[in-house]
Amino acid sequence: QVQLVESGGGSVQAGGSLRLSCEVSGNLGSSYWVAWFRQVPGNEREGVAHIHIGGTITRYGHAVLGRFTISQDNANNIVYLQMNSLKIEDSAMYYCAAVLSDTGLWYRAADYRYWGQGTQVTVTS
């Protein structure tokens, strides 16, 4: 059974930083894809960043490019999202998700089979 568990959310002032973690367990093999999404009430889930586990490819949404960094700790099956220069508009519930193959539309939430429960990020002024 595949499980994804997010942690690291919280409240931070604008301009600050947070690091989210996504612990992945279960049999996904040595090559799969993990993405971070975020969602505010009333909106669709927005793709934030994407990484190939077992490879080197990373992709980012335009809103976070240059501020957020996605990385992997293969030894511990953890995917991180380092968030710097946080803005009020970054406030959302953040989810990590996994899929076995890259569909070419990494930001499309419907393509991901496995999801975590989410962790809340709140950025204050």
Side-chain angles (χ1 to χ4, degrees), residues 86-108:
L86 281 161
K87 304 176 181 180
I88 292 175
E89 52 264 41
D90 293 319
S91 297
M93 183 71 79
Y94 282 71
Y95 300 90
C96 64
V99 67
L100 293 179
S101 301
D102 182 14
T103 63
L105 295 174
W106 69 268
Y107 46 84
R108 189 165 66 184

Side-chain angles (χ1 to χ4, degrees), residues 12-15 38 40 67 85-92 94 121-125:
V12 64
Q13 285 191 321
R38 64 188 183 186
V40 295
R67 299 187 298 122
S85 302
L86 281 161
K87 304 176 181 180
I88 292 175
E89 52 264 41
D90 293 319
S91 297
Y94 282 71
V121 172
T122 302
V123 184
T124 61
S125 60

